[in-house]
Amino acid sequence: MSIKRVCTALWDCLCEVCCRKRGHEGIDPRPELRVPDRVRATAIRDELKASLLGAPADGSSNVSMAATSVVWVDRESEAIVHLDSLEARFAGDVLVVALDLETDQTGRATVVVPMALGGAPGRGIAAVVPDRIRGPELLVGRWGPVVVEALMAGLVSLAVEHAEERHDLPRGLFVREGALGLAVADQTTRGGD
């Protein structure tokens, strides 16, 4: 499944969830907001960690944010994801994420995922990612698409939570002045961020 199809499917699903939430009565118009309009790299790292943790294979809900590593299972392959190695930085309009993965075949190695995001609000929730992320060929050939999918899921989840707190729809992820900007539909019609 292509990353574009995954992102489109996530977007459609998330829009449906947001639309349902917009119809609720009795919502406090000024709740305490957990997700700010601008998110620094350290906070993004924490949000992405939650996405990389995933759901336990046994179906339980026992996921500890204190975990330093987690085992991913995809088809018949396994990889250890070293969550304590997760780094996120900005380079212009690019969010660069680095993460150590480990398999029996490759040992522990770092993969680097550059994600080019928009430079202005309202351009959508999308990232341009190279066909092959950086890292050892065998590791990124097998696990690269899974890593990109998990990271995009984390960014989309952050955008949806940001919008839900404002009782609106997510409308954009963009980089400005060394931070991730999050826009909602109402902000983009006003031209704000």
Side-chain angles (χ1 to χ4, degrees):
M1 181 178 282
S2 74
I3 297 301
K4 182 178 178 182
R5 286 180 46 200
V6 169
C7 292
T8 301
L10 281 171
W11 174 255
D12 292 343
C13 179
L14 296 171
C15 284
E16 181 181 324
V17 169
C18 288
C19 287
R20 276 196 310 251
K21 293 212 176 216
R22 290 182 86 177
H24 289 165
E25 296 293 324
I27 297 174
D28 179 6
R30 301 294 298 162
E32 187 169 324
L33 302 176
R34 189 187 80 76
V35 182
D37 293 338
R38 293 172 43 87
V39 184
R40 297 278 176 207
T42 53
I44 290 171
R45 185 184 64 225
D46 295 339
E47 294 295 330
L48 293 177
K49 180 180 178 182
S51 180
L52 293 169
L53 273 168
D58 65 1
S60 69
S61 60
N62 298 333
V63 179
S64 170
M65 286 299 291
T68 58
S69 63
V70 63
V71 176
W72 278 358
V73 178
D74 184 47
R75 291 177 266 167
E76 306 239 345
S77 300
E78 294 182 354
I80 299 172
V81 180
H82 293 277
L83 300 168
D84 54 351
S85 70
L86 181 64
E87 293 291 330
R89 299 189 200 291
F90 292 104
D93 287 350
V94 178
L95 171 62
V96 180
V97 180
L99 176 67
D100 287 358
L101 298 180
E102 183 176 350
T103 67
D104 290 340
Q105 297 80 15
T106 63
R108 184 172 175 162
T110 302
V111 296
V112 178
V113 183
M115 305 174 85
L117 303 169
R123 299 259 171 99
I125 298 179
V128 177
V129 180
D131 288 338
R132 291 185 75 78
I133 62 175
R134 297 181 204 147
E137 189 68 28
L138 184 61
L139 193 59
V140 299
R142 173 61 187 91
W143 290 99
V146 179
V147 170
V148 170
E149 185 177 331
L151 294 175
M152 273 307 298
L155 291 176
V156 169
S157 177
L158 184 64
V160 168
E161 184 175 350
H162 173 265
E164 285 178 345
E165 289 179 340
R166 288 149 181 84
H167 312 295
D168 211 331
L169 295 171
R171 185 56 183 245
L173 288 173
F174 58 96
V175 178
R176 186 175 294 158
E177 299 172 9
L180 177 70
L182 298 156
V184 295
D186 188 45
Q187 287 174 319
T188 59
T189 58
R190 292 190 315 256
D193 60 29

